[in-house]
Amino acid sequence: MDLDTTPTLLVDRDILDRNLARMAESARARGLSLRPHAKTHKCVEIARRQLDAGARGLTVATVSEAEVFADAGFDDLFVAYPLWVDAARGARLRALAGRVRLTVGIDSETGARQLVEHAGTTIGVVIEIDSGHHRTGVMPEQTGTVAQAAHEAGLDVRGVFTFPGHSYAPDAPGSAAREEAGALATAAASLRAAGIEPSVISGGSSPTALLEVPTVATELRPGVYVFGDAQQLELGAVSETDIALTVLATVVSARDEIVVLDAGSKVLGADRAAWATGYGRILGEPEARITALSEHHATVQWPNPSTRPDLGQRLQVIPNHVCNAVNLADELITVSGGTVVERWKVAARGCNT
């Protein structure tokens, strides 16, 4: 692999395309639309591949992400976040709504009124519900109340959405998917009771998206599935052969059972869930664990000193949370068969507003 420097982010294009095709086919087989979350890759080239594989549009987390993808020609965008809209953000939303089919999230009557005051009524909304993650969203049975207030304010209420984030725990994806399905059914019924027929019932996460749990959902919004990461490995949602993104890193120090790499928290990100066994994995070494991160150091506990890599050797690191690693990079180096083929810009890097 002809690369001059490390650390750098590598994307195996063949694995990426296989991941995209598998998720798209799973959604099609179940009669679900696929609207993948672009906050994972932030990359125009990958978003185009997702639409080519069958996705109907993109999900984003912020208005600035939506602006980047709108500039690149994507015309159906959902900001899956309960936006608090002030005058400045309202002006940006109005501009976006003039050139794409724009949908945004709300989870309160006050948020609906704020949206109308500063952005007008040309933007579609979906009501966020809490399906068990307990972060944002109204309780499912309260959906109709918020939707009715939004409708009376003049907004086009398109449906409901949720994120089953509590699926990110050992042995939790199955139960989280069932709780999500029940919450979406309750929310859709609450909307109908308020006289609003939902055209969008949206959910999904990468740990749950491939599970065939009966649901009233019409749409899936997974993000991490494009790359996989160490969290998904530990949850059993992917295998190592599904990992499309790694960080190429160099061994800079080694002794006994310790290896230190040149990819620290400023490259890998520092996320580590309470249940995670380390700060990342080493591709091809399932027992090795990253036990500590500094800004530019990754300390690896190596399982067998006799197989410990030499100074200067390059290893491929699987980040714990791939979304954070991508947001720290300027570009993704794509490879096929071990050969560098393209460099893709992380176009929406740092788009947090």
Side-chain angles (χ1 to χ4, degrees):
M1 196 177 295
D2 185 19
L3 288 169
D4 295 332
T5 59
T6 63
T8 192
L9 270 60
L10 301 180
V11 173
D12 187 308
R13 195 177 63 182
D14 303 319
I15 297 175
L16 169 71
D17 285 343
R18 190 174 70 226
N19 292 346
L20 300 185
R22 180 175 55 200
M23 186 63 73
E25 177 54 34
S26 175
R28 274 194 297 269
R30 289 176 285 161
L32 297 169
S33 296
L34 182 62
R35 185 181 292 276
H37 210 313
K39 74 178 179 65
T40 294
H41 56 74
K42 294 177 170 280
C43 176
V44 169
E45 289 82 357
I46 294 176
R48 288 183 179 138
R49 294 173 104 84
Q50 289 176 313
L51 264 64
D52 288 344
R56 65 167 296 174
L58 296 179
T59 303
V60 295
T62 67
V63 176
S64 54
E65 283 184 349
E67 290 166 337
V68 167
F69 286 104
D71 288 344
F74 296 87
D75 61 4
D76 190 344
L77 302 173
F78 169 36
V79 184
Y81 196 87
L83 293 175
W84 182 254
V85 180
D86 56 16
R89 186 167 279 127
R92 293 164 65 194
L93 288 170
R94 287 196 305 275
L96 274 170
R99 56 195 181 115
V100 305
R101 184 181 189 275
L102 182 65
T103 309
V104 305
I106 58 173
D107 75 348
S108 68
E109 298 176 41
T110 305
R113 290 191 292 269
Q114 191 80 0
L115 176 63
V116 170
E117 178 180 353
H118 294 293
T121 59
T122 62
I123 299 166
V125 297
V126 290
I127 312 302
E128 183 176 13
I129 65 164
D130 180 358
S131 59
H133 188 36
H134 306 319
R135 187 175 62 184
T136 50
V138 301
M139 297 308 295
E141 60 273 13
Q142 297 171 347
T143 307
T145 301
V146 176
Q148 186 64 42
H151 176 73
E152 290 174 354
L155 291 168
D156 175 16
V157 179
R158 295 174 178 167
V160 299
F161 80 106
T162 192
F163 172 59
H166 53 311
S167 62
Y168 280 82
D171 302 318
S175 59
R178 291 187 292 272
E179 289 175 11
E180 177 197 42
L184 287 173
T186 298
S190 181
L191 268 186
R192 293 184 178 108
I196 299 171
E197 181 62 31
S199 60
V200 176
I201 305 174
S202 181
S205 65
S206 289
T208 62
L210 292 172
L211 300 179
E212 296 191 7
V213 174
T215 180
V216 300
T218 63
E219 178 180 274
L220 289 176
R221 305 187 325 278
V224 177
Y225 80 97
V226 297
F227 296 139
D229 59 18
Q231 289 187 144
Q232 301 293 324
L233 276 175
E234 293 216 31
L235 294 171
V238 301
S239 66
E240 197 171 89
T241 58
D242 301 316
I243 298 297
L245 184 146
T246 56
V247 176
L248 187 67
T250 299
V251 177
V252 296
S253 182
R255 66 180 186 279
D256 302 325
E257 296 178 350
I258 298 297
V259 171
V260 179
L261 305 174
D262 63 352
S265 62
K266 287 185 173 178
V267 175
L268 296 173
D271 267 14
R272 181 178 179 178
W275 45 266
T277 59
Y279 287 96
R281 300 280 190 97
I282 307 299
L283 190 69
E285 292 289 342
E287 301 306 315
R289 291 293 184 278
I290 298 177
T291 56
L293 286 179
S294 303
E295 291 180 65
H296 299 286
H297 304 70
T299 301
V300 183
Q301 184 73 34
W302 203 262
N304 184 352
S306 66
T307 64
R308 191 189 70 201
D310 296 328
L311 291 174
Q313 187 170 336
R314 290 179 169 185
L315 303 176
Q316 288 178 255
V317 181
I318 306 170
N320 255 5
H321 187 182
V322 72
C323 303
N324 283 352
V326 169
N327 194 48
L328 293 167
D330 291 321
E331 65 178 5
L332 307 174
I333 310 300
T334 65
V335 299
S336 179
T339 300
V340 175
V341 288
E342 290 180 290
R343 293 173 182 260
W344 293 341
K345 181 182 179 182
V346 182
R349 179 187 179 186
C351 290
N352 297 319
T353 64

